[in-house]
Amino acid sequence: MSSAFDTIVIKAPAGTKARWVRQSQRDGLKLSDWIVQKMEASMQNKIKALISIPLNVGFADLKLKRNADGTIAFAWSPVEAICKASGIDIRLFREQSEDNIAGLLATWYAQHRLAGGLPDRVMDDLISEGDIEDTHGHGYSYKAGRA
């Protein structure tokens, strides 16, 4: 029987696990949900503390588009400028998990819109697709026309 979830194994000393269990119970969460919540909050705090978007770089500079095959394309120069201003190695976004660049773009877009920036049709579609995947258990994303 296959599961819709991936398995992550964490080896923690008994005392640490006991402390985590007590804290998760105090927060009214299952241990696994509590750990995920803490990890995601930690990652968001680190990213927010590190990213600086230069004033001369706008979200529209990405020239975000969806290719005919469903893949996403954008100009890397705005991301490179952000990395330079933030002291971040561009390889964090180019060579590591695509979640890194997706997180940067989603966070940047949210801030862009909060500041009164114009909507971006492609980004709005991506966010909607992510919401649908979240609702249905993070399924596999198929290329356009390949479901």
Side-chain angles (χ1 to χ4, degrees):
M1 176 178 219
S2 66
S3 171
F5 299 98
D6 290 329
T7 300
I8 298 173
V9 176
I10 299 174
K11 294 184 179 188
T16 300
K17 182 181 177 188
R19 182 170 40 88
W20 290 352
V21 167
R22 286 191 305 274
Q23 290 173 337
S24 69
Q25 288 171 339
R26 276 195 299 269
D27 292 347
L29 297 169
K30 293 187 318 183
L31 178 59
S32 57
D33 293 337
W34 182 85
I35 290 170
V36 168
Q37 185 181 69
K38 295 299 178 186
M39 291 297 298
E40 288 178 347
S42 174
M43 289 186 295
Q44 284 297 322
N45 288 339
K46 288 178 183 174
I47 290 171
K48 288 178 184 177
L50 297 173
I51 302 296
S52 176
I53 307 221
L55 294 175
N56 64 338
V57 176
F59 193 83
D61 296 335
L62 287 168
K63 298 180 177 94
L64 196 60
K65 69 177 185 173
R66 187 180 298 261
N67 295 321
D69 66 358
T71 59
I72 305 303
F74 58 90
W76 276 95
S77 56
V79 178
E80 291 165 350
I82 290 168
C83 288
K84 183 176 181 181
S86 304
I88 297 172
D89 188 336
I90 188 69
R91 291 179 295 183
L92 175 69
F93 299 110
R94 279 193 184 267
E95 298 174 12
Q96 294 187 21
S97 170
E98 70 179 23
D99 289 346
N100 294 347
I101 190 66
L104 171 66
L105 297 183
T107 302
W108 183 11
Y109 185 63
Q111 293 302 313
H112 162 79
R113 294 292 287 138
L114 284 172
L118 295 173
D120 182 281
R121 180 184 50 82
V122 174
M123 195 66 198
D124 287 337
D125 285 348
L126 291 171
I127 291 168
S128 294
E129 290 168 17
D131 290 344
I132 290 168
E133 287 179 0
D134 286 345
T135 300
H136 297 285
H138 264 297
Y140 179 79
S141 294
Y142 293 95
K143 290 185 178 179
R146 302 275 186 215

